[in-house]
Structure formats: C-alpha cells, structure tokens
C-alpha cells in the first residue's frame, strides 16, 4: 500500500485495523465452538464461552471438615484446620462470609466471630482455621460463603467420551472410520481415470477433441441433484444397492469433470519440446504418459486430490442418498452430526466435540497443503 | 467383510484395473490388432494412433456419460412420468402440481434472495480483503485465516453458527453470542446507532451503489452511443430494471428501519424469525465463500500491471480512485467468474438449510425442497421436476462457461 498512500500513515493504520477486525470476525465462530468442546456441560450452559477465557467469578457455598472427626485440642481450645477447596482447584477468594445474607462480610485473612468464643478465619487460597470451646465444635462443619475467582478450566473429557468410550452409542469413532473409508477410494480412483483422459485431451490429436473439452466444461457445472434419482435407480437395479461401492462410484463420477479439467489444463501447459523429443526417440504414448507427463503433473494431481478429499469428507448429500440405508448401520460424520443436532439440540458439549472431530482432519489438510489448494482454485474456476 | 478392507481392495482394483486396462489395451492395439509388420507397417501405426486416444478416453467418457450426462435426460424423463402409475407418461402434471404448492414458491423466493445476497456480499467482502491484505506484512496470515472456513463442511459450519444463534430463556445467562449482544441494547443511544443508523447507512449505501452502476450501464444506451448488439442492450436494460427495483426496495426499507419497534431485553430465537432467518442462514455460506472469492481476486489484483497503478498515482489519483477506476475495471472478468462460481454453489445449497432449519419457518430452498420430495414424500416425479428447475437456473451459466472455454482455446 505504501506507494499508493504515500505519507498518509493514518490510512495505513486504518488498513491494519480493518484487516485485524475482519480476521477476528472470521475466526470468532470457529474459536467459539473449539473452546466449547473443551468445557463441561455445566460450564457451557452456565456462561458464554467468551467468559471462560478469562477468570470466572463464582459464588460458592463450602463447608469446613467434620469437627467430630478432625478437631484437635490446642491450648484448651478445639481447632479444625484445612482447606475449603478440593485439591487442584486454584481459586482465589476475594470476599467471604458466614451467613447467606452477608456473603461479602469479610476479606481474606479477617477473623469472623461466631459468638460464644467460636471464630473462623479464611485466607485467599481457601485455608481456614476454625476454633472454639469444646461444646461449640461438634455437629456439622461450619458453612462458609465465598466469592472466588477461578482460572480458566478446560477438560478433554468430551473428546474422551465421543471418541474412545466404547459404550457411547453416539460416539464418533464408527462414523469417523466410515468417512475415512468413503473418502480415500473416492479420492484416488477418479485421479487414475482422469489422468489418462486428460493426457489424451491435452496431447493427442483426434477429431472431436475440442467438442469433448467443451462437454467436460459443461458437465463441470451440472448440479448433482439431477443425478440422484436416476443413479439410485441404476444402483438398485444392477444390485449394487446402497453401500460403500455405490458411494465410491458416485463420487468418482461427480469428481471426474473437475479432475479432467484441472489435469488437462496443467498438462497442456507443459513444454511441447519434452514430449516431442520423447516421440522422436521412439517413446510410445503410454511411455510418454507414465514416464514424463505423470511425474511432471504432480502439483495438479495434488491440487485435485485435496479438492476431492475435502469435498468427499465434507459431503452430506451423496452419502445420504447412496450410502446410508434404512438400517442406519453405516453413517458418515456429517450425517451423524445432523442426527445429533436433532436429538441433542441443546447439548453443546456433545455437538461441539462431534463437529470438531469432523472438522479437525480437513483443517489439518488445509493448513499443510494450502498452496496446492490455492493453485487448484485458481486453475479450476473457469475463466 | 470389514469396510476398511473392502476399501483397500477397491483402491487396488480401481487403480490397478485402470492401469492394467490402459497397459493391456495399448499392448493389444499395437501387437495384435494393428501390428507394425513389414508389408503395411506405416498404415498400421497410423491406424493404431487413430484409435489410441479413444482407448485413453473410454473409461472417463463412460463414467461421465453414465454418472452425469445420462441422469440429466433420465431426470427429465422421470419428471414427466408418475411413479405410482408404474412410470406412465403424465406430461406436465408434475410441474403443474409443483407450481400449485406454496412450499415451492417459498423455495423459489428464498433461492432468489440467496442468489442476490450471497454472491454479492461474498464477492464484495472477498474483494475488500484481497485489496486490504495486498501490501501489508501479515497479509498472508490474515488471508489464510479468512480462507480457513473453506475447509469446514457445511454441516460443521451449521453447528458453529447454531451456537452463535443459540437462545436461552429470559433471565438465564445467554450462551449464544448474538443474543448476548442483543441483550446489551436497551433503546438508548447505542441502540439507535447500531440498530437504526448503521442499517440505514448500509441500505442507503447499497441503493447508491446500485443506482450508480445502473447509471453507468444505461448511459451509453440512453445517449444513443451504443456499440453492442440489441440483445446485449436488452439484457442490460433488464438487469438495470432489476437494479432500480432493488434500489427502491432498499430506500423503502431505510424508512422502515426507523419505524420498526424493537423488543429490547427479550432473547430472540433467530432461526424462527420469518424472512430474517434466511439472512441468518446466508451468513453461514457468506462466511465460507468469502475466502474463495478473496483467493481468486487476490491473485487477479497481483496480476494487474504495476505501470497502470503508478501512472494513476502520478496523475494525482487518490487510493479510492485507484481502486475503483484502475484496479476494479481491470479485474472485472475475474469478478464475474467469482460471482458465477458462487452463484452455482448457492443454487445447489442444501446442507446448511437441511442441518439448521430443514426448511421450517419459511426457509425452504430448492435443493432441500427436492430432497424432501424425493426421500420423505417419495414423490420422484415432483422431485425430478424440482431438479429440472435447478438445472434450468444453472443452464445460462453452463452455456456461458462453454462459450468462454471455446473462445479461450482458439
């Protein structure tokens, strides 16, 4: 921007600020779900996720230890000592009290007079010292009302429950493996078919070539909604039925136009000299393709593979039509999540975790292979 | 058999089958059918080379034909038949029945709303981000973060936004951001600024931009200096009429913004507010598609010759003039491509509506309407008719793409 605005640094700051604002706006939704997936059901329903990042102020009612069991005699008085919080809780008490009507009566370190010689004092981290004459130090432990700042508290229990709990019928592990099973063949097979066709369309001369390319460009935008009923009828008719084979074939068919288009454009841009030299040296088309073109086309292959992977992993419609039958034995993660949305609409700890299990893999692929994704996008949008 | 094992076998069979087919077919062609023997070696090699492309293409053509081309015609046929009468030909009865349904027109209306809003807003945001991040040091990180939603499934995004739109009863702590923000408004100055002035400014700005564009398009026609063919002029006039309609609508709604009574202090179930809930669903798609628009437009901006920008600066153009008068006209072609690509996505939008409202509360769209007819009502005729409507809406873009691709190859 420097050369445009010259010395106007206010504009530069405005640019930085607005980009920052946009980035925050775009990240905010995902971060919300991500943070929620590490909170317990109680935490999620008691406060917004944004408040869990800082310290949370909580009002708690706690009780000193049972005097009949823990009191010790010291200088003629009976004393009970201990800490109000369970072990591992790093809360900081700001105010406390001994009556529910005045919960902010004392500061940490103050001594509360409980009448008839009985006193109790509580410090900032919850250690208390409660003492009094023998007849007062019996029965139940003294109640203490504290207002405490608790630090952010996150747990992995949701993931444990959704992924590794074998008894959990709503768990994601089955759906995860089904999605994986759908995705990998559906990514690899179209590449094998498309690569040969792309080579023929890029480097072989034959009548009707440009017509075929135009047809591929046309098929690129045919909505797959049109293919649902006829293909389902076909699959049921020839005995494939609903299942993995059907969904693999469907994804292969739907992915082919983009695969051919991307690969053809890339192969056509390879230098003509290499191919012609190889021809002169007596290489056959099959050799040229496998020895020269295929290795050189690696970036385009990677681009398409990422596209197809993301598309099949994230797909709901094709899986619903071609894979998931009435028995509901096989499901994919997207479908599983939609079902959870219906049955567990308010249980955000389950929904957030389920969604993040399914989002995690594409996000990983995205951040590792972004370069190829961008390249594919640039080549794939019809100019 | 375990599905994973089945998958592995399929990969091996699929890929091995492909390679084996290509290898063997080539061998048979060269060694058996047209062997380059002494007497007519040259002719046989030529013949073999005539056949070979079709060997390479056959699996792809077969799969494309069976999985994409054939279904188009089969769907068209199905839309003219009735499944309950054993597939008897019923003419346009399915279409008639569909056009008589309120739900269909609701889906059409909503789809049109999506078609106007989502491509426009996504492209505008994408262009904005692409321009802003163009020359700043951390631009690539910013772009990568805004691009990220592209990797998230529509279903995942639906869950993400359902949490944002979540509503709890009055008096409970709100866990959805939108309601938490909404409850901050109490009718004071802040409420006036954000709920009346800001929307009014946005609406007026929209009306102004549209009106200005219409003026730019119409001026050559009105002053009689048109150089293009009559059909292009007709198209431009039609689009201008639509633009004027939208601008007037925006102005009317600007007045409405000041007159509407807000219910302060009440948590809203956003997805059940008729009409407005459509926009809450659109936000999800805009959130995803902006990254796409940004990536493509960013590359286009980089491709603009530096001299044109420098010349404009030397002539004293300010940054806004440089952007709107120099850069945007040069990348107009790419903007149209982005716009049409997002339009295609919008026409097929299914998952978001299915997962968030399933077409309830007047949020139905065509793709979900069709799914409803097919798999819930089991009405293949009407479902196919709806699919054909989607195809018809896509067709102009399809033709335009093919024309462009052919022009580029020449």
């Amino acid at each position: 921007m420097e050369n445009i605005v010259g010395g106007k640094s206010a504009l530069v700051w405005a640019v930085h600020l607005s980009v920052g604002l946009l980035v925050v706006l775009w990240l905010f939704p995902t971060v919300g779900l991500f943070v929620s997936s590490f909170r317990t059901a109680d935490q999620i329903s008691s406060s917004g996720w944004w408040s869990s990042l800082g310290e949370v102020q909580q009002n708690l009612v706690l009780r000193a230890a049972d005097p009949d069991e823990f009191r010790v005699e010291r200088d003629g008085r009976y004393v009970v000592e201990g800490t109000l919080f369970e072990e591992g809780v790093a809360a900081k008490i700001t105010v406390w009290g001994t009556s529910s009507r005045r919960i902010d009566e004392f500061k940490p370190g103050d001594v509360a007079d409980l009448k008839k010689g009985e006193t109790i004092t509580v410090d900032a981290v919850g250690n208390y010292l409660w003492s009094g004459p023998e007849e007062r130090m019996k029965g139940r432990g003294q109640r203490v009302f504290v207002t405490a700042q608790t630090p952010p508290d996150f747990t992995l229990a949701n993931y444990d429950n959704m992924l590794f709990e074998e008894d959990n019928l709503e768990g994601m592990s089955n759906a995860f493996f089904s999605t994986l099973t759908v995705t990998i063949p559906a990514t690899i097979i179209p590449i094998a078919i498309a690569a040969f066709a792309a080579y023929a369309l890029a480097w072989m001369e034959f009548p009707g070539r440009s017509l075929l390319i135009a047809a591929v460009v046309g098929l690129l935008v045919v909505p797959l909604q049109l293919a649902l009923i006829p293909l389902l009828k076909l699959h049921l008719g020839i005995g494939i039925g609903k299942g993995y084979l059907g969904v693999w074939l469907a994804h292969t068919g739907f992915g082919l136009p983009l695969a051919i288009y991307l690969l053809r454009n890339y192969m056509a841009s390879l230098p003509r000299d290499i191919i012609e030299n190889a021809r002169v040296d007596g290489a056959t088309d099959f050799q040229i393709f496998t020895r020269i073109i295929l290795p050189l086309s690696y970036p385009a292959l990677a681009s398409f593979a990422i596209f197809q992977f993301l598309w099949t992993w994230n797909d709901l419609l094709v899986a619903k039509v071609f894979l998931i039958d009435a028995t509901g034995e096989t499901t994919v993660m997207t479908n599983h999540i939609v079902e959870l949305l219906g049955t567990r609409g308010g249980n955000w700890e389950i929904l957030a975790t389920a969604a993040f299990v399914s989002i995690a893999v594409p996000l990983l692929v995205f951040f590792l292979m972004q370069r190829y994704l961008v390249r594919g996008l640039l080549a794939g949008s019809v100019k | 058999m375990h599905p994973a094992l089945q998958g592995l076998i399929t990969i091996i069979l699929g890929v091995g089958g492909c390679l084996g087919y290509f290898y063997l077919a080539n061998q048979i062609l060269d060694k058996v059918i047209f062997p380059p023997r002494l007497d007519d070696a040259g002719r046989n090699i030529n013949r073999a080379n005539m056949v070979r492309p079709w060997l390479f293409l056959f699996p792809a053509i077969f799969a494309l034909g069976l999985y994409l081309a054939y279904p188009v015609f089969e769907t068209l046929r199905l839309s003219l038949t009735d499944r309950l009468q054993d597939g008897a030909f019923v003419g346009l009865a399915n279409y008639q029945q569909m056009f008589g349904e309120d739900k269909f027109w609701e889906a059409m209306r909503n789809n049109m709303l999506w078609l106007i809003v989502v491509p426009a807003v996504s492209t505008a945001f994408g262009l904005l981000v692409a321009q802003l991040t163009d020359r700043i040091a951390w631009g690539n990180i910013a772009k990568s973060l805004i691009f990220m939603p592209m990797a998230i499934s529509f279903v995942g995004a639906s869950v993400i936004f359902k949490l944002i739109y979540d509503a709890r009863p009055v008096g409970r702590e709100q866990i959805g951001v939108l309601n938490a923000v909404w409850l901050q408004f109490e009718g004071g100055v802040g409420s006036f600024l954000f709920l009346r002035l800001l929307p009014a400014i946005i609406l007026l700005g929209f009306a102004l931009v549209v009106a200005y564009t219409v003026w730019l398009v119409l001026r050559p026609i009105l002053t009689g200096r048109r150089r293009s063919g009559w059909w292009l002029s007709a198209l431009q006039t039609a689009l201008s009429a639509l633009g004027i309609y939208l601008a007037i609508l925006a102005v009317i709604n600007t007045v409405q913004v000041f007159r509407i009574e807000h219910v302060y202090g009440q948590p809203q179930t956003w997805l059940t507010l008729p009409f407005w809930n459509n926009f809450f669903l659109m936000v999800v798609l805009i959130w995803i598609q902006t990254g796409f628009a940004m990536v493509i437009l960013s590359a286009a901006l980089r491709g603009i010759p530096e001299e044109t920008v420098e010349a404009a600066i030397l002539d004293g153009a300010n940054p806004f003039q440089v952007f709107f008068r120099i850069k945007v006209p040069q990348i107009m072609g790419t903007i149209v491509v982005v716009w049409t690509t997002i339009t295609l996505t919008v026409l097929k939008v299914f998952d978001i509506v299915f997962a968030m409202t399933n077409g309830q509360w007047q949020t139905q769209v065509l793709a979900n309407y069709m799914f409803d007819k097919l798999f819930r009502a089991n009405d293949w005729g009407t479902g196919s008719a709806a699919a054909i409507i989607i195809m018809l809406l896509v067709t102009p873009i399809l033709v335009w793409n093919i024309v462009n691709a052919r022009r580029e190859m020449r």
Side-chain angles (χ1 to χ4, degrees), chain A residues 177 181 244, chain B residues 1-9:
Chain A
F177 284 111
T181 314
Y244 285 112
Chain B
M1 193 173 13
H2 194 273
L5 192 68
Q6 201 189 342
L8 202 68
I9 294 173

Side-chain angles (χ1 to χ4, degrees), chain B residues 235-251:
Chain B
L235 185 72
Q236 283 171 340
T237 317
L239 284 178
S240 302
L242 182 71
I244 292 169
Y245 172 68
L246 286 176
I248 292 172
L249 216 59
V251 173

Side-chain angles (χ1 to χ4, degrees), chain A residues 324-339:
Chain A
I324 297 159
D325 52 16
T327 65
E329 274 168 19
T330 47
T331 182
V332 289
M333 284 196 286
T334 43
N335 184 59
H336 193 64
I337 293 171
V338 172
E339 277 171 11

Side-chain angles (χ1 to χ4, degrees), chain A residues 62-67 130 138-143:
Chain A
L62 301 165
R63 212 174 257 285
D66 184 1
W130 174 33
K138 59 175 79 165
R140 302 181 66 191
Q142 173 64 38
R143 273 196 308 176

Side-chain angles (χ1 to χ4, degrees), chain B residues 46-79:
Chain B
N46 279 343
R47 275 184 190 161
N49 282 343
M50 294 259 291
V51 178
R52 201 181 325 276
W54 301 103
L55 280 186
F56 275 64
L57 283 167
F58 171 72
I61 290 180
F62 179 75
L64 283 179
L66 189 62
Y67 275 83
L68 285 168
Y70 151 77
V72 174
F73 298 103
E74 177 68 6
T75 303
L76 187 61
R77 192 186 69 80
L78 282 175
S79 76

Side-chain angles (χ1 to χ4, degrees), chain A residues 135-349:
Chain A
E135 70 275 11
R136 298 284 296 172
M137 300 298 285
K138 59 175 79 165
R140 302 181 66 191
Q142 173 64 38
R143 273 196 308 176
V144 181
F145 299 85
V146 303
T147 301
Q149 301 279 354
T150 48
D153 179 24
F154 297 110
T155 168
L156 284 170
N158 294 332
Y159 286 93
D160 204 33
N161 179 37
M162 291 303 281
L163 282 176
F164 305 113
E165 193 66 52
E166 304 238 330
D167 307 330
N168 184 2
L169 289 176
E170 291 171 341
M172 292 291 279
S173 47
N174 267 336
F176 186 92
F177 284 111
S178 302
T179 301
L180 206 63
T181 314
V182 169
T183 307
I184 293 176
T187 306
I188 295 176
I189 297 171
I191 296 180
I193 298 177
F196 284 93
Y199 172 74
L201 290 175
W203 287 106
M204 292 167 113
E205 292 290 339
F206 59 92
R209 189 175 76 155
S210 61
L211 210 66
L212 272 178
I213 297 173
V216 170
V217 173
L219 291 177
L220 211 50
V221 301
V222 169
L224 64 85
Q225 266 85 1
L226 271 98
L228 300 182
I229 315 173
L231 289 183
L232 189 60
K233 255 176 68 176
L234 181 81
H235 281 182
L236 294 175
I238 60 175
I240 296 175
K242 284 188 165 198
Y244 285 112
L245 189 58
V247 84
W248 288 327
L249 289 174
H251 274 310
T252 302
F254 301 149
L256 268 182
L258 183 67
I260 297 175
Y261 182 76
L262 277 183
L263 292 176
R264 190 211 83 94
N265 280 1
Y266 190 85
M267 287 177 185
S269 71
L270 293 173
R272 179 170 285 273
D273 298 354
I274 309 179
I275 290 138
E276 277 176 359
N277 283 344
R279 281 230 172 92
V280 171
D281 290 344
T284 65
D285 273 313
F286 191 74
Q287 284 169 329
I288 293 175
F289 174 73
T290 50
R291 302 266 173 79
I292 302 172
I293 302 279
L294 217 47
L296 284 178
S297 305
Y298 167 71
L301 293 176
S303 291
F304 171 74
I306 293 172
F307 261 105
Q308 182 76 354
F309 175 81
L310 289 179
W311 154 242
T312 48
W313 186 278
N314 290 338
D315 158 78
L316 171 68
L317 186 56
V318 177
K320 258 190 121 54
V321 176
F322 294 104
L323 175 67
I324 297 159
D325 52 16
T327 65
E329 274 168 19
T330 47
T331 182
V332 289
M333 284 196 286
T334 43
N335 184 59
H336 193 64
I337 293 171
V338 172
E339 277 171 11
L340 286 178
L341 270 175
T343 56
R344 297 301 210 112
N347 295 61
W348 283 105
E349 74 286 356

Side-chain angles (χ1 to χ4, degrees), chain B residues 6-271:
Chain B
Q6 201 189 342
L8 202 68
I9 294 173
T10 313
I11 294 178
I12 295 169
L13 278 183
V15 177
C18 275
L19 290 177
Y21 157 80
F22 289 117
Y23 183 74
L24 285 179
N26 270 290
Q27 287 291 322
I28 291 171
L29 188 67
D30 288 334
K31 301 274 158 64
V32 182
I33 303 177
F34 298 120
R37 287 206 207 89
L38 287 174
D39 43 353
D40 51 354
R43 223 180 82 206
N44 268 0
I45 287 177
N46 279 343
R47 275 184 190 161
N49 282 343
M50 294 259 291
V51 178
R52 201 181 325 276
W54 301 103
L55 280 186
F56 275 64
L57 283 167
F58 171 72
I61 290 180
F62 179 75
L64 283 179
L66 189 62
Y67 275 83
L68 285 168
Y70 151 77
V72 174
F73 298 103
E74 177 68 6
T75 303
L76 187 61
R77 192 186 69 80
L78 282 175
S79 76
L80 302 174
T81 60
D82 188 351
R83 194 187 182 193
L84 295 177
Q85 302 173 30
D86 273 344
F89 181 80
V90 291
L92 294 175
N94 289 321
Y95 291 90
Q96 244 164 13
Q97 191 206 330
M98 186 171 70
F99 292 149
E101 279 184 36
D102 286 344
K103 217 51 185 161
F104 169 76
W105 289 111
E106 178 195 316
M108 275 301 256
R109 255 199 322 276
N110 287 339
N111 249 81
M112 291 304 135
L113 205 59
W114 281 73
L115 276 183
I116 294 170
V117 176
V118 176
V121 178
S122 304
T123 312
F125 266 121
L127 191 58
L128 181 73
V129 179
Q131 167 65 21
L132 290 181
T133 53
D134 200 21
R135 300 284 168 85
I136 63 177
W138 55 293
N140 278 336
I141 301 170
K143 275 197 279 191
S144 158
L145 290 175
I146 289 179
F147 189 33
M148 185 194 69
M150 273 293 279
I152 294 175
S153 59
F154 287 167
V155 173
S158 302
V159 177
I160 289 177
F161 275 84
K162 266 207 143 172
L163 178 59
I164 289 182
Y165 300 147
D166 192 271
R168 300 266 146 155
V170 196
R172 299 264 306 274
E173 188 97 9
Q174 293 298 325
I175 65 168
V177 173
L178 204 56
N179 268 316
V181 172
W182 172 250
L183 290 184
Q184 300 300 314
F185 292 117
E186 284 147 349
V189 182
S191 309
F192 179 78
L193 282 179
F194 285 105
L195 296 180
R196 304 208 191 265
L197 205 57
L198 192 68
I201 290 172
I202 292 174
L203 278 171
L204 274 185
F206 172 77
L208 278 178
V209 169
V210 171
Y212 183 64
T213 317
V214 167
W215 166 243
L216 285 184
V217 170
L218 280 186
R219 193 169 50 178
I221 301 175
L222 291 178
T223 51
R225 278 190 290 130
R226 66 154 202 234
R227 269 160 274 143
S228 43
W230 65 268
W231 62 271
L232 194 64
S233 302
L235 185 72
Q236 283 171 340
T237 317
L239 284 178
S240 302
L242 182 71
I244 292 169
Y245 172 68
L246 286 176
I248 292 172
L249 216 59
V251 173
I252 292 173
N253 277 301
T254 312
V255 181
Q256 280 298 319
V257 161
F258 287 100
R259 292 176 55 186
I260 195 167
E261 293 279 333
H262 288 301
V263 229
Y264 297 111
Q266 286 285 334
Q268 302 287 322
T269 46
W270 304 104
L271 291 176

